[in-house]
Amino acid sequence: MYGSRLQTLAIASVVTLAGGFALAAFYAPMDADQGFMQKIFYLHVPLAIVALGGFVFGAYQAVQHLRTGDPSRDLKSYVAIHMSLILGIGALVTGSIWARASWGKWWVWDEPTLVAFLIIFLLYCTYQPLRFSIEDRDRQARYASVFAVTAGVFTPLNFLAVRLADPLIHPRTLDSQDNLPGEMRLAFLVCLLGMALLYVTLWKFELTHKHARAQLRSLKRKLGAADAARGRSAAPEATVS
Amino acid sequence: MGRAVSALLRKELRLELRTPQVIPAMALFGVTTLVIFHFSLQRDTVEGDLAAGVLVVTLLFAAMLGINRLFVADHEEGGFDGFLLAPVDRTAMLVAKALALTGFLVVVELLLVPAFGFLLLGPAMTFELLWKVAAILLLADAGVAIVGTLVGALAIQTRARDLIVPLIGLPLLVPVVIGAAKALAPALDAAGAGALPGRWLAILGLYDLVFGLVAYAVFDFLLED
């Protein structure tokens, strides 16, 4: 039941992302200043926005976990944060390449958006070490959720704090109308949608994978096989229905 | 609630008075850090934003020591069990610990800020400068105490406690560092103390408020057993 809509979702995200990139490459006008290099914008900004959205989504699932005590919510929160971290690495790498191309430096410290993203990324990097260092499963799940909620609240607050410091070069993508002409805006929004779909697909895929593995393990146990020795893992265990 | 908080707070203070452990360690560590800054920056005096940065970093690292020790006695000597058996609101623990940590930080700052003034600060310590620094540091202390209590409670049950506190605590406290350093920089300027920047004080206040609410909402889950 977990993999039911996975195929549709996967096709939809491939089509949307490919369409978005095609729009970005052929339909959106070439940037007057930066030329072709500006096209990385259609990859970098959706990556960053979806990663941040994923962190907040993980926090939402963690709130639900704390409220209901349902272990599957903990698994959902874990996978959401896990996927966001991967997209976050992508956003940092593409951002760095873009910064090198357009500002001449790999990293710019006086730019709040970059710094805020890095701080949030570093904070979430401690999520897995935290889980790993708590052995009791219930406590691990509860503490991880407390962390996810705290960090989820921290994410917008941190951006607010650094945004109030005067922004210098990093463009604001969504709040200024004259920043993006219509064609660029359309291509960007399609790319953003595609990236969000990709995130949801990966998230569901990982959940399906974890459930399939848990089911396989319980079947093996029923067949009387010795429980395969598992390495220690930070990931929550899926419950077999 | 009020009685539980005051009982816990008295326990905390009595513990520290009978065997002073946390405050001397924090103060000593802070002074040593100032000396380290003198040699690593190779400067005899600092002012302006550099002075603000040195002061904030020193206090933050000293606070990390306090956060690491905050729940150790409760964890090892059964303080948690005793508290959980008592029919009181669990938020009392959060409030008492945050107040105790604020108190520790204030005492440490009463020692460290004058030491900073003698050892490193370029502009003379005037009364006007002191009350500005005090106002900014109080707001920052509240944020450090709230987040520190939360992180300390989170880390105490983990195996790698001493690692988890700075790893989680430092990124969470970055907005406090930004706010305090930006607010302190004009006050410590060599060209004469500037006015208090209201925007950064407001950010510090907002941070304290938001994390106070978050800690209030999630702290109970850290004590459940």
Side-chain angles (χ1 to χ4, degrees):
Chain A
M1 82 182 194
Y2 261 90
S4 58
R5 273 169 303 163
L6 204 53
Q7 200 176 16
T8 334
L9 257 177
I11 293 170
S13 47
V14 167
V15 168
T16 322
L17 257 190
F21 289 146
L23 278 178
F26 301 114
Y27 175 66
M30 203 61 107
D31 190 88
D33 276 351
Q34 303 174 22
F36 184 70
M37 205 49 217
Q38 187 264 346
K39 300 288 183 199
I40 201 172
F41 160 83
Y42 300 100
L43 178 62
H44 164 68
V45 182
L47 271 173
I49 292 178
V50 172
L52 292 175
F55 287 140
V56 175
F57 177 62
Y60 165 74
Q61 295 291 356
V63 169
Q64 295 300 326
H65 171 244
L66 287 179
R67 274 184 49 200
T68 62
D70 177 5
S72 75
R73 294 288 192 170
D74 177 46
L75 182 66
K76 286 175 179 166
S77 164
Y78 170 83
V79 175
I81 290 173
H82 184 76
M83 287 300 154
S84 278
L85 270 175
I86 295 172
L87 293 198
I89 294 174
L92 283 174
V93 171
T94 52
S96 213
I97 293 170
W98 191 14
R100 173 81 179 129
S102 72
W103 302 329
K105 282 181 185 170
W106 293 107
W107 186 259
V108 192
W109 272 114
D110 48 7
E111 177 40 61
T113 309
L114 290 184
V115 180
F117 194 87
L118 180 69
I119 295 164
I120 290 167
F121 180 77
L122 286 177
L123 176 64
Y124 274 99
C125 281
T126 59
Y127 178 71
Q128 268 141 341
L130 172 70
R131 288 199 82 111
F132 200 72
S133 67
I134 306 175
E135 276 171 57
D136 180 54
R137 284 277 171 186
D138 283 344
R139 180 179 282 162
Q140 183 192 70
R142 214 168 55 232
Y143 278 41
S145 289
V146 167
F147 173 85
V149 173
T150 312
V153 173
F154 174 79
T155 301
L157 194 69
N158 184 46
F159 260 84
L160 180 81
V162 284
R163 261 199 179 202
L164 283 176
D166 295 329
L168 291 172
I169 22 185
H170 198 292
R172 301 280 161 267
T173 310
L174 293 174
D175 39 318
S176 54
Q177 291 296 324
D178 44 342
N179 229 346
L180 280 181
E183 295 91 348
M184 280 186 172
R185 197 176 183 81
L186 176 71
F188 169 71
L189 289 178
V190 175
C191 286
L192 183 59
L193 180 70
M195 193 57 76
L197 279 172
L198 178 69
Y199 177 84
V200 176
T201 311
L202 289 173
W203 180 71
K204 278 195 85 95
F205 183 77
E206 176 86 12
L207 279 179
T208 312
H209 165 72
K210 287 210 185 308
H211 276 272
R213 212 171 51 176
Q215 255 163 349
L216 182 66
R217 199 175 296 132
S218 93
L219 281 177
K220 271 185 183 163
R221 218 175 288 139
K222 272 184 196 152
L223 285 172
D227 205 358
R230 279 190 314 125
R232 269 172 54 72
S233 160
E237 207 154 338
T239 43
V240 183
S241 47
Chain B
M1 172 94 173
R3 284 184 53 204
V5 170
S6 77
L8 283 169
L9 203 55
R10 264 183 285 135
K11 180 212 86 176
E12 212 66 39
L13 296 181
R14 186 169 296 166
L15 205 63
E16 188 59 28
L17 282 177
R18 284 195 183 160
T19 43
Q21 197 179 22
V22 180
I23 293 178
M26 285 166 79
L28 197 60
F29 179 81
V31 175
T32 315
T33 310
L34 290 178
V35 176
I36 299 271
F37 267 122
H38 160 71
F39 286 114
S40 58
L41 295 174
Q42 301 182 34
R43 300 270 291 258
D44 292 341
T45 58
V46 290
E47 71 266 314
D49 47 3
L50 189 58
V54 168
L55 184 58
V56 170
V57 167
T58 306
L59 291 175
L60 185 70
F61 286 174
M64 283 295 144
L65 291 190
I67 296 169
N68 253 331
R69 301 300 302 177
L70 192 59
F71 286 97
V72 169
D74 298 79
H75 184 62
E76 284 172 0
E77 314 289 341
F80 280 128
D81 300 333
F83 176 73
L84 288 175
L85 284 173
V88 292
D89 191 352
R90 284 167 189 183
T91 312
M93 179 75 115
L94 169 71
V95 177
K97 286 287 181 184
L99 284 177
L101 187 54
T102 314
F104 292 173
L105 286 170
V106 169
V107 174
V108 168
E109 278 156 10
L110 287 178
L111 297 166
L112 267 188
V113 173
F116 175 67
F118 289 126
L119 291 174
L120 275 178
L121 188 64
M125 278 273 184
T126 59
F127 187 69
E128 196 202 344
L129 187 148
L130 275 178
W131 81 255
K132 274 182 194 161
V133 171
I136 297 163
L137 287 184
L138 260 184
L139 274 176
D141 286 349
V144 172
I146 292 165
V147 172
T149 308
L150 197 59
V151 173
L154 196 70
I156 193 73
Q157 306 284 3
T158 65
R159 282 180 304 132
R161 178 205 313 155
D162 309 345
L163 294 179
I164 294 288
V165 165
L167 275 183
I168 298 181
L170 287 178
L172 274 178
L173 287 171
V174 166
V176 173
V177 172
I178 299 174
K182 290 266 185 192
L184 279 171
L188 300 177
D189 205 52
L196 273 183
R199 180 166 69 162
W200 297 107
L201 291 183
I203 289 177
L204 283 175
L206 180 72
Y207 182 92
D208 297 352
L209 180 71
V210 171
F211 272 95
L213 292 175
V214 170
Y216 173 69
V218 298
F219 191 76
D220 284 12
F221 295 104
L222 296 177
L223 292 181
E224 244 172 57
D225 265 300

